[in-house]
Amino acid sequence: MTSAAGPSPRLLVRDAVAVLASAGVASPEADAVTLLAAVLGVERSRLPLIDVVSDVDRERFTTLLARRAAREPLQHLTGRAYFRHVELAVGPGVFVPRPETELLAGWAIEALRTVSAPAGPDGAGAPVVVDLCTGSGAIARSLADEVPLARIYAVELDPAAHGWAERNLAGTGVDLRQGDMAHAVDELAGTVDVITCNPPYIPWEAWESVAVEARDHDPHLALFSGDDGLDAIRVVEDVAARLLRPGGVVGFEHADAQGESAPAVFVQAGRWTEVRDHADLAGRPRYTTARLR
């Protein structure tokens, strides 16, 4: 029902769901609710408590709805993304963190806790972790949040993405570097306990199969990696072998079609043990871990 003062949130969401569904958005109802809550400045759970939406807010919602229907990422429209227990600022120029990557972050957190030791006044004795291809800083921020004693380094090559990481990691104590992951933290060689990386891993030939939101809005530097999608993973193997201490561990994400080819990069190198692939919550191959001999 629409009152003289304006339509109800329920009515706006109902109409928005139809628009988004016809545009091919995968989660039309959740996205419609999230957008309206963002416009009104309330939590999603409080929308039923609002009777009517003003004309000004309705116009703002309609504008955002049209952009989402054009497949602009939801997180770009709201300006924020959620990752494990933290909230991140995101927008054009940075890869939007995915829920699947939370599993890799969780593995790293548990790995760090197994080597955690009371740190001295200068941080001596604290576990050391490096997050390569940090993007928005999602993994590094989660590590800082859940393993505060760790010494955390994060590396990002792209200037725009580095700017977002700088914003998200401010005040966390993370040592953020802008540069090529191959050499950005060379001074740590042989001292690192844990390495994480969500590298680019999509083959160029898979261009057409990539979701519109990612293909048209995520930076291509964060998506594509050579003819077989493994170029960056090969660099991760080489860098991890130099940075890790003997017995240190590395974990990296890959495409679900790379459940055999991604671990094979490490197996064929001959300097790793416990090379294991891990599935995501949908049972799809998602990330590989390995331990340096």
Side-chain angles (χ1 to χ4, degrees):
M1 179 180 294
T2 303
S3 82
S8 69
R10 182 182 62 81
L11 185 60
L12 282 179
V13 167
R14 185 198 68 186
D15 293 344
V17 168
V19 171
L20 295 179
S22 66
V25 173
S27 50
E29 183 171 3
D31 286 18
V33 170
T34 297
L35 283 177
L36 185 55
V39 165
L40 298 178
V42 300
E43 296 297 323
R44 291 163 44 114
S45 61
R46 297 192 62 82
L47 280 181
L49 303 179
I50 297 174
D51 293 326
V52 296
V53 178
S54 70
D55 290 342
V56 171
D57 285 335
R58 181 175 57 175
E59 289 179 10
R60 290 176 59 209
F61 178 64
T62 300
T63 299
L64 290 180
L65 182 66
R67 291 170 63 185
R68 184 66 188 108
R71 305 299 290 275
E72 190 169 339
L74 176 68
Q75 295 86 351
H76 284 195
L77 302 178
T78 63
R80 58 185 180 178
Y82 298 97
F83 190 84
R84 289 183 67 87
H85 307 300
V86 300
E87 180 181 315
L88 302 163
V90 295
V94 70
F95 181 81
V96 175
R98 271 56 169 182
E100 294 89 348
T101 308
E102 294 183 10
L103 297 174
L104 174 60
W107 165 84
I109 287 164
E110 291 306 312
L112 280 171
R113 287 173 176 164
T114 66
V115 298
S116 182
D122 60 352
V128 179
V129 57
V130 176
D131 181 39
L132 303 172
C133 304
T134 198
S136 65
I139 293 177
R141 175 71 181 274
S142 288
L143 298 178
D145 178 59
E146 298 183 55
V147 194
L149 290 179
R151 289 170 51 205
I152 305 169
Y153 298 81
V155 178
E156 176 54 49
L157 175 61
D158 183 75
H162 178 271
W164 287 103
E166 201 169 35
R167 179 175 174 180
N168 288 318
L169 297 175
T172 64
V174 174
D175 186 336
L176 174 64
R177 311 280 181 93
Q178 182 178 354
D180 191 326
M181 67 171 167
H183 299 291
V185 287
D186 277 354
E187 78 276 12
L188 298 178
T191 68
V192 178
D193 296 294
V194 178
I195 290 177
T196 58
C197 186
N198 184 10
Y201 49 69
I202 301 174
W204 280 110
E205 66 179 17
W207 170 273
E208 292 297 334
S209 67
V210 178
V212 175
E213 287 86 346
R215 187 186 67 205
D216 293 351
H217 296 280
D218 281 334
H220 288 178
L221 188 63
L223 296 177
F224 299 99
S225 188
D227 292 338
D228 61 2
L230 299 174
D231 283 2
I233 290 173
R234 294 185 182 98
V235 176
V236 171
E237 190 279 324
D238 181 68
V239 174
R242 288 188 284 110
L243 295 182
L244 288 172
R245 60 169 175 78
V249 292
V250 57
F252 64 93
E253 189 168 317
H254 58 69
D256 53 12
Q258 296 168 334
E260 294 183 2
S261 59
V265 171
F266 279 67
V267 172
Q268 292 166 6
R271 47 192 174 189
W272 303 91
T273 65
E274 301 176 27
V275 180
R276 297 172 182 165
D277 204 60
H278 306 260
D280 61 22
L281 296 179
R284 298 168 297 197
R286 183 54 57 197
Y287 68 98
T288 297
T289 60
R291 184 178 301 275
L292 186 66
R293 293 184 189 275

